[in-house]
Amino acid sequence: MTSRQIYIYLAPALLFTALFFIFPLVFLLYVSVQEWNGIGSMNFVAFDNFRYLLGDPVFKAAMINTALWILAGILLHTPLGLLMALLLFRKPRGWKLFRVLFFLPNVISTTALAFLWYFVLHVSLGLVNNLFKSVGLESWAHPWLSDPGTAVFANMIPFVLYIGFTMVIFLTQMTTISPDLYEAAEIDGATNVQKDRYITIPMVKGAIAINVIFNTAFCLKMFEYPLLMTGGGPADSSINMSLYIYREMITANRYGISMSAGLMAILMGAVAMLLVFGALGLTERRGKA
């Protein structure tokens, strides 16, 4: 195949990449240094938008909460998906049914799930508080969504629990592992836990990296749960970067501030990726040592 033919085949992909990624990114960079309400002319303000963001306590809260979302994705959601994949990989009784049940929430609208968990955690109508009251644990009932100390964590519950997509990626990677490795381990007297630790988990590092990328990206653009469950409140305690960008653009008509916040979100995601892959690379080097 000649170079010309290669470029012809790549042309559609390059066109769509330029149209839906490169151009929006250039536009974001351009507007991030402008003062603009979305309609009139733009006014160049250099780095004033970024100075505003760094001095805005709401933006700082959004960055902290987004970082908490990313940590939940990496330290809770991904390990839970791996744990369920390890259990189902052993094919216990009913494993196909459990696989379907765990994946089912991923085909349901995130908006529907947000409304579902809003009523599950509602202070008076919620299933959780009414369950506590029904078993004599009234003191455990709590305004989960209206308490600044618990609102952001209540928003994370649907994301952390619905691990089906992560689990399927791990299961797919596990099916590529040679059965001979497990047979040799059984001959040596290895337990299931030892086989998981020394064979399965090291062999699915690629799946771990993929899930970390997906979960980090999902957390950076998470919008429905904080918007519909708490509205970013109370007192902006559960606001995240996506909701902050939405408010600045749609509600306040400050497109320059919104684009600057979007650029900060991109940088935040890039830093998270570098840290994660740095940690994975360090783990791999230690494993070879």
Side-chain angles (χ1 to χ4, degrees):
M1 182 177 292
T2 64
S3 299
R4 182 178 179 181
Q5 290 175 322
I6 293 175
Y7 286 122
I8 290 174
Y9 282 116
L10 290 177
L14 293 174
L15 176 62
F16 280 105
T17 300
L19 186 61
F20 295 107
F21 178 73
I22 297 177
F23 174 74
L25 182 60
V26 172
F27 183 75
L28 180 145
L29 291 171
Y30 177 73
V31 179
S32 67
V33 293
Q34 308 285 337
E35 182 182 6
W36 188 40
N37 61 5
I39 299 176
S41 60
M42 298 184 186
N43 179 32
F44 180 72
V45 293
F47 297 104
D48 287 353
N49 291 335
F50 296 98
R51 281 191 284 267
Y52 171 84
L53 290 176
L54 295 177
D56 184 6
V58 179
F59 178 74
K60 294 177 182 178
M63 287 192 67
I64 293 172
N65 289 337
T66 302
L68 291 175
W69 272 94
I70 294 173
L71 288 175
I74 296 174
L75 301 180
L76 292 177
H77 186 93
T78 302
L80 283 175
L82 177 58
L83 175 62
M84 295 312 304
L86 290 171
L87 293 176
L88 295 182
F89 185 58
R90 296 170 185 167
K91 297 183 179 180
R93 179 177 298 180
W95 70 275
K96 292 184 178 180
L97 175 62
F98 286 112
R99 184 179 60 182
V100 172
L101 291 177
F102 279 116
F103 188 78
L104 185 61
N106 292 272
V107 301
I108 302 175
S109 166
T110 308
T111 302
L113 292 176
F115 277 120
L116 170 66
W117 279 92
Y118 171 79
F119 287 106
V120 169
L121 298 172
H122 193 276
V123 62
S124 58
L125 304 175
L127 175 64
V128 172
N129 283 346
N130 282 305
L131 180 62
F132 286 148
K133 294 175 183 178
S134 66
V135 296
L137 297 173
E138 292 86 352
S139 61
W140 288 24
H142 188 80
W144 309 102
L145 299 174
S146 56
D147 182 352
T150 59
V152 65
F153 302 106
N155 283 337
M156 296 178 187
I157 291 176
F159 166 65
V160 171
L161 293 182
Y162 297 141
I163 56 178
F165 185 75
T166 301
M167 177 193 70
V168 167
I169 293 177
F170 280 124
L171 282 172
T172 303
Q173 182 78 45
M174 290 175 186
T175 58
T176 65
I177 302 175
S178 174
D180 295 340
L181 296 175
Y182 295 106
E183 293 177 2
E186 289 178 0
I187 294 174
D188 291 336
T191 63
N192 286 330
V193 174
Q194 289 173 327
K195 286 188 286 186
D196 290 339
R197 179 180 177 183
Y198 296 107
I199 299 177
T200 308
I201 294 178
M203 296 293 287
V204 297
K205 284 185 178 180
I208 293 175
I210 292 173
N211 278 316
V212 166
I213 292 174
F214 284 155
N215 289 331
T216 301
F218 187 83
C219 292
L220 280 170
K221 63 186 182 67
M222 172 46 59
F223 180 72
E224 292 90 342
Y225 293 145
L227 175 68
L228 299 176
M229 292 178 67
T230 60
D236 296 317
S237 61
S238 62
I239 192 171
N240 65 350
M241 295 289 283
S242 295
L243 189 53
Y244 183 89
I245 293 169
Y246 169 81
R247 283 186 183 179
E248 291 297 322
M249 178 179 289
I250 304 301
T251 305
N253 290 327
R254 295 191 292 190
Y255 281 67
I257 298 293
S258 178
M259 296 295 180
S260 300
L263 183 59
M264 296 289 283
I266 293 174
L267 294 175
M268 189 174 183
V271 170
M273 288 291 96
L274 289 174
L275 292 175
V276 168
F277 284 109
L280 290 175
L282 180 62
T283 302
E284 186 174 354
R285 287 193 297 271
R286 286 181 176 177
K288 293 180 179 179

